[in-house]
Amino acid sequence: MTQNPQAMPDAQGFFGPYGGQLVPPELKQCMDEIAAAYEEIVKRKDFQDELAALFADYVGRPSPIFHARRLSDQLGGAQIHLKREDLNHTGAHKINHCLGEALLAKFMGKKKVIAETGAGQHGVALATACALVGIPCEIHMGQVDIEKEHPNVTKMRILGCNLVPVTRGAATLKEAVDSAFEVYLQDPVNTIYAIGSVVGPHPFPMMVRDFQSIVGREAREQFQTRHGKLPDHVAACVGGGSNAMGIFTAFLGDASVHLVGVEPAGEGVDKPGRHAATLSVGKPGEIHGMKCYVLENADGTPAAVHSIASGLDYPGVGPQHSYLKDIGRVDYQSVDDKECLNAFMTLSRVEGIIPALESAHAVAWAMREAPKLGKGQHILVNLSGRGDKDADYVARKLGL
């Protein structure tokens, strides 16, 4: 039976056949306690008031929608609009759920928050939120990403978090998740694992989506107020998928809105290990405590992945995205590294906005599709983060 996408997950944390809690019994009890605490805290007016005040006065919400007129004119065809999550405090959408998770940890009396990070945006946002509420923070980050995303590494250390380099395997996001989970399992009673996307065991895919849904609620109201209609297309990059679920959630019931999740094709989806287009090429499997689409090797282990954007190189994906693919509500496409770099530089030089490499995937899709669409069409892109962290890397890569 098909579930209503707006009434998910079920009580066991499933989005259709995806999600759940594929964890050891002792960890399931901890997950259930987190779920119960979350269900309690979100009903409390004092929590909602505190979170709303922090969104307004600390994060700087609502984030605006910017009409990229010069880019639209240059491309011809549809008009491109950007939901400016890059203007949030800490430079990305990640602060939205990190504040919620830090307040939840405080409410539960946890002694430490543990997390992983890829591009470093989740790490910076969580270190920021933990500094704000006064809880120690430990972030696990792949050594490759540490070297690539040095500005965010520096910020995390300034903010007081304990940064743990992960050198095993490919030394990127999957290994950082593995490492953080192992440490969390050593003391799940006194610590909480603040997952950085809509992935992992229940309740995290639901909880992170709920905290991120402010993006879509704002965007829907803002766009309707300004244009008297909804956007024709809403696009967002997808790695684990938090920024995409954040903006998609408000539009799931609007059949007229084409929702597009843009995955990293890396060096080509025909090159195993050199892309991270999980929904485009993967198949249903299990990873990190959930059922979802997974890129796997022949022996069933998670495959090596690659993206120029550190925050997207993950072999799994959020279970709700997996379900939305199966029912055809979201159109999942991919953009390769070259298209991403081109979008990064074009948006920077045409509109004066330097996007995160992750977000540049969604911009690249809009640039590719806009010329094919009529001038009366509107594309809304979730510009999930700014490119400060990527500027030095891109400059070196392009010889600037």
Side-chain angles (χ1 to χ4, degrees):
M1 186 174 72
T2 301
Q3 279 178 279
N4 175 1
Q6 294 174 294
M8 296 189 290
D10 64 18
Q12 284 71 49
F14 280 96
F15 303 82
Y18 306 104
Q21 285 182 336
L22 309 182
V23 294
E26 64 273 20
L27 191 56
K28 184 181 187 312
Q29 180 180 346
C30 294
M31 291 295 112
D32 288 342
E33 289 172 358
I34 293 171
Y38 172 70
E39 293 291 352
E40 177 184 350
I41 200 172
V42 293
K43 295 173 184 173
R44 292 175 50 155
K45 187 176 183 301
D46 58 343
F47 171 78
Q48 294 293 351
D49 288 348
E50 183 175 9
L51 188 60
L54 288 172
F55 278 162
D57 302 330
Y58 192 69
V59 179
R61 305 208 68 90
S63 62
I65 289 179
F66 173 72
H67 183 188
R69 288 182 177 85
R70 293 193 69 231
L71 180 62
S72 301
D73 290 347
Q74 186 178 101
L75 294 168
Q79 297 299 301
I80 297 174
H81 308 263
L82 309 174
K83 177 62 170 164
R84 299 290 308 277
E85 289 297 289
D86 60 309
L87 295 178
N88 293 341
H89 179 46
T90 71
H93 70 291
K94 296 289 188 181
I95 191 67
N96 299 327
H97 70 256
C98 285
L99 284 174
E101 288 178 328
L103 290 174
L104 177 64
K106 181 181 176 183
F107 173 75
M108 295 183 72
K110 299 294 184 180
K111 303 294 191 293
K112 184 168 73 172
V113 176
I114 296 171
E116 84 299 328
T117 194
Q121 287 302 129
H122 175 63
V124 170
L126 192 63
T128 298
C130 287
L132 178 68
V133 303
I135 295 179
C137 177
E138 178 175 303
I139 304 292
H140 293 240
M141 188 174 189
Q143 185 63 41
V144 169
D145 294 332
I146 286 175
E147 294 166 8
K148 185 176 171 184
E149 306 287 2
H150 183 69
N152 276 345
V153 171
T154 301
K155 289 178 187 176
M156 283 185 274
R157 288 178 170 145
I158 288 172
L159 288 161
C161 91
N162 175 29
L163 185 71
V164 179
V166 180
T167 58
R168 70 178 78 167
T172 56
L173 182 56
K174 177 196 168 290
E175 290 76 24
V177 175
D178 292 341
S179 177
F181 251 121
E182 289 166 11
V183 172
Y184 171 61
L185 284 170
Q186 294 171 14
D187 187 12
V189 174
N190 294 305
T191 60
I192 187 170
Y193 186 178
I195 293 175
S197 192
V198 287
V199 298
H202 178 68
F204 285 95
M206 171 187 72
M207 194 163 70
V208 173
R209 174 204 63 192
D210 291 352
F211 288 135
Q212 287 295 345
S213 66
I214 182 99
V215 180
R217 292 197 304 273
E218 284 179 5
R220 196 174 190 281
E221 181 180 344
Q222 289 168 321
F223 204 90
Q224 277 191 311
T225 298
R226 182 175 300 178
H227 301 283
K229 56 170 280 187
L230 295 175
D232 301 287
H233 312 267
V234 175
C237 65
V238 176
S242 59
N243 93 90
M245 280 315 312
I247 197 165
F248 289 169
T249 297
F251 297 97
L252 286 175
D254 301 303
S256 66
V257 181
H258 177 216
L259 302 178
V260 185
V262 187
E263 295 193 296
E267 295 171 7
V269 294
D270 58 338
K271 298 179 180 178
R274 301 310 300 163
H275 68 83
T278 306
L279 289 161
S280 303
V281 185
K283 61 182 182 179
E286 299 177 5
I287 189 173
H288 294 142
M290 62 177 171
K291 293 183 179 180
C292 64
Y293 272 77
V294 185
L295 291 168
E296 293 181 338
N297 297 312
D299 63 0
T301 57
V305 289
H306 161 78
S307 171
I308 195 171
S310 297
L312 301 183
D313 56 357
Y314 182 60
V317 68
Q320 188 166 7
H321 283 293
S322 301
Y323 180 70
L324 292 171
K325 170 187 168 62
D326 281 4
I327 66 172
R329 180 62 191 95
V330 178
D331 179 10
Y332 293 95
Q333 300 189 30
S334 62
V335 158
D336 65 27
D337 287 350
K338 289 181 180 178
E339 290 176 284
C340 171
L341 272 175
N342 178 59
F344 180 98
M345 293 303 299
T346 300
L347 189 64
S348 298
R349 294 187 170 180
V350 174
E351 297 287 3
I353 298 171
I354 303 175
L357 284 170
E358 291 77 16
S359 314
H361 282 75
V363 175
W365 178 86
M367 290 173 57
R368 187 170 73 197
E369 296 302 316
K372 306 174 188 176
L373 302 169
K375 290 187 180 295
Q377 295 269 301
H378 295 269
I379 300 173
L380 175 60
V381 174
N382 194 19
L383 199 72
S384 54
R386 63 177 175 244
D388 305 32
K389 65 186 180 62
D390 300 312
D392 289 345
Y393 170 78
V394 171
R396 288 194 301 271
K397 192 167 185 67
L398 298 179
L400 300 177

